[in-house]
Amino acid sequence: MTTIKTPRTRRPRKTGRRHPLASIALIAVGLLFTGGAYAAFSTSTAVATTDSSSQQTIAEGEKLFAANCATCHGLSAQGSAEGPSLIGVGAASVDFQVGTGRMPMQMQGPQAQKKPVQFTPEQITALAAYVASLAPGPAIPAAELLDAAAGDAANGAELFRINCAMCHNVAGAGGALTEGKFAPAIENVSAQHIYEAMITGPQNMPVFNDMNITPEDKRDIITYLKYVEDNPSPGGLALGSLGPVAEGLFIWIFGLGAIVALTVWITAKSN
Amino acid sequence: MTTINTRESAEDQTVGTKKAGGFTATAANYIDERTSISGAVKELGRKIFPDHWSFLLGEVALYSFVIILLSGSFLTFFFQASMAEVVYDGSYAPLKGVPMSVAMSSTMDISFDIRGGLLMRQVHHWAALLFVAAIGLHMLRIYFTGAFRKPRELNWVIGFILFILAMAEGFTGYSLPDDLLSGNGLRIIDGLVKGIPVIGTWTSFLLFGGEFPGTDIVGRLYSLHILLLPAIIVALIAMHLLFVVVHKHTQYPAAGRTNQNVVGYPVLPVYAAKAGGFFFIVFGVVMLIASLFTINPIWNYGPYDPSPVSAGTQPDWYIGFADGAMRLIPPGWEFVWLNHTYSLNIVVVLAVVGLFIVTVMVYPFIEAWITGDKREHHVLDRPRNAPTRTAIGAAGVTFYASLWAAASSDIMATHFHLTMEGVIHTLQATTLLGPILAFFIAKRVCLALQKKDREIVLHGYESGRIVRLPGGEFVEVHQPVDEYERWKLVSYSDFKPLMLRPNAQGKIGPAEKVRAGLSRWFFEDRITPITQTELSHAHGDHPAAITDQEHQSEITDK
């Protein structure tokens, strides 16, 4: 940028800070500096808020825990008759349960229901940090394991059919379990929450540890689920992807209903 | 009136295929001289069909079948019924590189790589669902209007066999793509077959050519699906329609309609135009549904593999009642005896469903035996005028519906936030108690409606107008029912329970006693039709001055 060679006359007067491109270079340097400084600054603040190991975050999490969770899980997360112990469940579990709104629970029932999230991301991080500080447990997954674009949808689809579809349905539309429990639909669930569900086994879900399904395979499953979510059904409206029940209901009510309406129309007497 | 009253026996002048006309007439004459077809055209063209929406339901089934044949032929051009393993390399990314059978792979190609293939698949499948649904509704119409009575008992049986064959067609077709859903369906069939005592395992091995799933089943089902079953269905449909022509169409009771005539439109030109147009309407509805709504997304299900089973795995709706029956069986219904397992959970389902199917099939003969009615019937019953039959029908519908609903117990549990056990237990109760309750409610409703009809005929509609007579008496003016309406309300025949009569040897056998008992049960609660005397008396009750228009209360004899 600074080396401009012009084999012409009047070279001495057009070099250095008097060069025609000098102002542009100055602006570029200025932008670089400000941008860099801003980036450095914002990174440092981000690090500050997500530093789950900092004592300050843990203390904050402890306060939140005492105010919102301790009623059921006990003041030191040791558990009670109302809720299980959280010692050793890890940050991933807290991030999933609180991040999807399942915790704090609205009411005791067959299982915790999804509802609007009650805490800010910073508060969730603090809670997760506090629970993670109690004992080692599954951590929040790294970003590269959540990149749906990097996975193999075909492998993910096969793993999903074998390991997940019996409860969640092949298209992730959800399904029934015993005694009012159910496997929820996996639509509009973030990659991070899907991953965390697999490693922590929330509610009635089994844990799929890394020996069972490797982190890359988990990413492939996420890739498949995101593929289903992002690509509309090639056949038209999917009727909830519920299978033959939805199709049968549709043909009886709308198909045969329309046909019967038309037969009435055809045989109506003209006035 | 737009209806035309025609006597079938009336011979008219010959249909105009005059030689003098232009090309059409010449061509028609040419064909007629070589085939003598004019006789058939004359006969068929003058057939009268009554006009009522419910008479078109069978046509809907027929047209759906035509659509199925057309779209199915297209699919056979591309489908390969082989279970040889290939690696999928088509355009659907989430299955690329996955090993699957040729059947599945060719169905994927039809869906994604053949122009119009997915639409044709969806047309075929939606039309199949509509086909069986239309048959079901058609059968309900026939049943509740008593159209199966003499001389149409055999046509009921043919129609019922068509219903069973349609279900068989549906199930074999459902199993062809060899995807996860169809494989799970076949696994259930395999389990059912293996649950039959003594012959079960052998039959299963015979069917699948060895241990399930084997490599033969898709090819075998394909032969049934595109060759044997359609051929039988086409032959039976031809017989079914021939019977309709031979018996002539039934009609609802109304003024001028008797057992000796048919009131309606002739086939040519009115009915043929209507029916022909209606085919395109049905085709249009199926096309619209098929182009807007996904059916059987095999790309979600993936290739069959015996290990995974998806949540929400169900058969298509028409097999649902059998699936539901199995879900309703309480746990633990099997025992081991002499080193063999006896699966009552399966044997009971097969027995109950089989008994139900056979009962429905032979119902016309049962009813004819109970009532001892040997007359021909061409005028339909209004369902209320045959209370016991309607009540039996309501009980049957409740029973079927409970089994059917049970097939979707898991979907009901998730979507209505119920427990699966709660849904199953409720449906177990409705399966056993629902039919009894439905029987009594339907029968009482029928009798109440008959009473209301009687009231209307004898006293007319309440008009809400209170009139004070010169003598100071207050009466409500009743609007007399008009003659056309009255015809409909009074024209049904009375039945009485059979009398126990000794046979030629002067004895009353046990069968006769059972029959008399059933007949008493069938007819004990009944509202007798209004007699001529009652009618003329009834109108004497009211001051003649109020009903100012003179109404002839005479009713032409039926």
Side-chain angles (χ1 to χ4, degrees):
Chain A
M1 191 143 270
T2 48
T3 57
I4 302 290
K5 294 218 168 190
T6 42
R8 298 252 170 153
T9 52
R10 287 183 272 179
R11 193 191 302 165
R13 287 168 63 190
K14 291 277 181 182
T15 54
R17 63 189 178 88
R18 294 192 188 282
H19 191 272
L21 293 176
S23 52
I24 294 170
L26 190 65
I27 290 168
V29 167
L31 281 177
L32 201 68
F33 181 77
T34 4
Y38 177 77
F41 178 73
S42 61
T43 312
S44 66
T45 52
V47 166
T49 51
T50 55
D51 181 12
S52 53
S53 55
S54 91
Q55 203 49 53
Q56 191 192 347
T57 319
I58 293 173
E60 158 114 28
E62 189 170 6
K63 263 188 259 166
L64 282 167
F65 188 90
N68 297 286
C69 320
T71 317
C72 303
H73 292 292
L75 268 172
S76 47
Q78 81 280 18
S80 75
E82 308 296 324
S85 160
L86 298 185
I87 296 167
V89 300
S93 190
V94 177
D95 188 58
F96 176 85
Q97 300 280 3
V98 181
T100 59
R102 284 178 169 82
M103 290 289 156
M105 240 170 138
Q106 203 161 29
M107 58 171 185
Q108 290 286 356
Q111 72 186 47
Q113 308 258 2
K114 215 174 160 173
K115 65 177 191 304
V117 182
Q118 235 164 295
F119 297 101
T120 64
E122 288 76 24
Q123 288 171 321
I124 295 171
T125 312
L127 274 170
Y130 167 66
V131 171
S133 72
L134 300 172
I140 292 169
E144 65 265 22
L145 292 175
L146 304 174
D147 183 14
D152 172 9
N155 184 40
E158 193 166 13
L159 288 167
F160 189 81
R161 282 194 293 275
I162 293 171
N163 295 290
C164 322
M166 45 281 285
C167 300
H168 286 288
N169 159 312
V170 278
L177 301 174
T178 54
E179 292 173 343
K181 294 171 281 195
F182 61 93
I186 320 177
E187 277 168 299
N188 304 318
V189 180
S190 73
Q192 184 173 332
H193 287 150
I194 296 172
Y195 195 100
E196 285 165 353
M198 285 189 273
I199 53 175
T200 64
Q203 321 288 342
N204 301 290
M205 186 166 157
V207 171
F208 294 91
N209 62 30
D210 289 354
M211 304 284 280
N212 190 333
I213 297 178
T214 65
E216 287 71 32
D217 284 344
K218 289 194 177 90
R219 184 186 56 194
D220 290 350
I221 291 175
I222 291 169
T223 306
Y224 169 65
L225 288 170
K226 291 295 156 194
Y227 182 95
V228 172
E229 200 175 293
D230 298 340
N231 292 277
S233 170
L237 299 177
L239 301 175
S241 297
L242 291 175
V245 169
E247 294 158 6
L249 207 59
F250 183 85
I251 199 71
W252 269 93
I253 293 175
F254 295 101
L256 204 57
I259 294 278
V260 166
L262 288 165
T263 61
V264 172
W265 173 64
I266 271 198
T267 51
K269 290 202 164 51
S270 56
N271 292 325
Chain B
M1 283 293 280
T2 47
T3 48
I4 299 162
N5 193 341
T6 314
R7 281 195 176 278
E8 281 302 305
S9 56
E11 278 293 322
D12 248 303
Q13 64 262 50
T14 47
V15 179
T17 49
K18 289 174 219 147
K19 284 195 171 185
F23 172 76
T24 316
T26 318
N29 193 46
Y30 179 91
I31 291 167
D32 185 40
E33 279 172 4
R34 281 152 187 82
T35 59
S36 309
I37 202 167
S38 64
V41 171
K42 191 166 83 181
E43 183 62 33
L44 278 178
R46 293 223 204 108
K47 278 246 86 78
I48 300 296
F49 278 101
D51 222 13
H52 191 272
W53 69 266
S54 68
F55 295 162
L56 294 181
L57 295 171
E59 263 175 63
V60 175
L62 177 67
Y63 296 155
S64 311
F65 185 66
V66 173
I67 298 167
I68 292 169
L69 279 185
L70 292 174
S71 53
S73 302
F74 177 92
L75 295 176
T76 60
F77 299 157
F78 306 101
F79 178 71
Q80 291 166 325
S82 157
M83 289 174 87
E85 195 175 287
V86 289
V87 172
Y88 178 70
D89 192 29
S91 17
Y92 185 69
L95 282 178
K96 247 189 195 334
V98 173
M100 56 176 68
S101 67
V102 172
M104 173 76 183
S105 155
S106 61
T107 314
M108 286 299 292
D109 289 343
I110 289 172
S111 305
F112 288 95
D113 295 296
I114 287 163
R115 201 172 292 265
L118 182 56
L119 179 65
M120 279 298 131
R121 254 197 70 218
Q122 302 206 127
V123 164
H124 193 69
H125 205 140
W126 279 121
L129 293 195
L130 182 65
F131 178 49
V132 196
I135 294 179
L137 206 56
H138 176 59
M139 270 173 47
L140 287 175
R141 198 280 292 173
I142 301 285
Y143 178 85
F144 282 107
T145 59
F148 56 80
R149 290 171 299 172
K150 189 183 173 186
R152 297 183 178 78
E153 304 99 319
L154 291 180
N155 219 16
W156 165 271
V157 175
I158 292 175
F160 194 77
I161 295 172
L162 275 169
F163 178 56
I164 301 287
L165 288 174
M167 291 198 284
E169 270 287 35
F171 191 80
T172 51
Y174 169 92
S175 305
L176 289 183
D178 202 23
D179 60 324
L180 190 56
L181 188 64
S182 73
N184 288 153
L186 279 174
R187 185 49 147 170
I188 294 172
I189 293 291
D190 175 54
L192 267 179
V193 171
K194 281 180 177 154
I196 302 171
V198 187
I199 58 164
T201 311
W202 305 101
T203 315
S204 165
F205 272 60
L206 190 67
L207 186 65
F208 291 94
E211 179 57 89
F212 175 87
T215 52
D216 293 334
I217 189 69
V218 167
R220 289 177 181 179
L221 292 178
Y222 192 53
S223 301
L224 295 178
H225 184 75
I226 68 159
L227 183 74
L228 192 61
L229 292 173
I232 303 174
I233 287 182
V234 168
L236 286 182
I237 286 179
M239 269 172 81
H240 199 64
L241 295 181
L242 189 69
F243 269 126
V244 172
V245 171
V246 170
H247 293 144
K248 302 176 183 62
H249 210 289
T250 51
Q251 52 192 345
Y252 282 104
R257 298 180 187 174
T258 69
N259 246 338
Q260 279 75 44
N261 69 6
V262 186
V263 179
Y265 292 106
V267 166
L268 287 175
V270 180
Y271 210 78
K274 271 197 177 191
F278 188 50
F279 169 72
F280 290 100
I281 287 176
V282 174
F283 207 154
V285 169
V286 170
M287 270 291 176
L288 197 68
I289 292 174
S291 49
L292 293 178
F293 298 96
T294 311
I295 190 164
N296 196 14
I298 53 155
W299 50 89
N300 281 345
Y301 291 107
Y304 182 55
D305 166 355
S307 56
V309 179
S310 166
T313 293
Q314 270 98 2
D316 275 340
W317 77 259
Y318 39 83
I319 308 288
F321 76 104
D323 187 64
M326 286 191 282
R327 291 188 191 207
L328 288 182
I329 296 283
W333 278 27
E334 47 186 18
F335 62 92
V336 180
W337 185 53
L338 298 179
N339 211 21
H340 286 279
T341 306
Y342 293 85
S343 302
L344 284 184
N345 42 10
I346 283 169
V347 176
V348 168
V349 167
L350 290 177
V352 169
V353 168
L355 189 71
F356 178 71
I357 287 175
V358 170
T359 309
V360 176
M361 184 162 83
V362 301
Y363 181 80
F365 306 104
I366 299 176
E367 191 188 301
W369 183 70
I370 292 177
T371 60
D373 185 9
K374 297 201 169 53
R375 291 172 296 178
E376 288 206 355
H377 293 279
H378 300 292
V379 177
L380 297 169
D381 272 336
R382 297 170 77 217
R384 68 185 64 172
N385 290 336
T388 308
R389 180 201 301 143
T390 305
I392 294 172
V397 167
T398 312
F399 178 71
Y400 182 92
S402 297
L403 298 188
W404 192 20
S408 55
S409 51
D410 54 331
I411 306 274
M412 281 196 266
T414 51
H415 284 69
F416 300 123
H417 301 285
L418 303 165
T419 67
M420 185 98 117
E421 291 80 358
V423 174
I424 292 283
H425 290 152
T426 308
L427 289 171
Q428 281 169 339
T430 59
T431 305
L432 297 176
L433 304 176
I436 301 169
L437 206 62
F439 180 89
F440 286 109
I441 292 174
K443 192 164 174 181
R444 287 298 132 192
V445 167
C446 284
L447 291 171
L449 287 171
Q450 273 187 297
K451 282 182 187 160
K452 180 179 140 256
D453 282 356
R454 199 180 158 82
E455 176 75 18
I456 287 172
V457 173
L458 293 180
H459 305 292
Y461 296 106
E462 291 181 2
S463 67
R465 230 176 92 210
I466 310 290
V467 174
R468 187 181 181 194
L469 300 181
E473 183 193 359
F474 286 95
V475 291
E476 185 186 6
V477 179
H478 279 213
Q479 185 75 37
V481 62
D482 73 71
E483 276 179 81
Y484 291 101
E485 183 69 12
R486 190 193 301 138
W487 186 303
K488 192 175 92 181
L489 296 182
V490 302
S491 66
Y492 64 99
S493 39
D494 186 25
F495 283 97
K496 288 185 179 63
L498 286 177
M499 293 288 287
L500 266 179
R501 287 210 172 79
N503 60 8
Q505 279 83 46
K507 286 180 183 154
I508 296 173
E512 276 307 298
K513 282 183 185 158
V514 171
R515 186 180 179 191
L518 283 172
S519 181
R520 206 161 49 240
W521 165 75
F522 203 88
F523 292 125
E524 64 186 345
D525 300 318
R526 65 187 190 282
I527 308 291
T528 46
I530 294 156
T531 61
Q532 186 66 55
T533 332
E534 277 181 301
L535 202 56
S536 35
H537 277 288
H539 291 279
D541 290 352
H542 293 289
I546 293 162
T547 53
D548 39 18
Q549 80 267 44
E550 313 159 20
H551 58 276
Q552 299 104 322
S553 56
E554 82 211 60
I555 291 200
T556 40
D557 62 331
K558 314 180 276 271

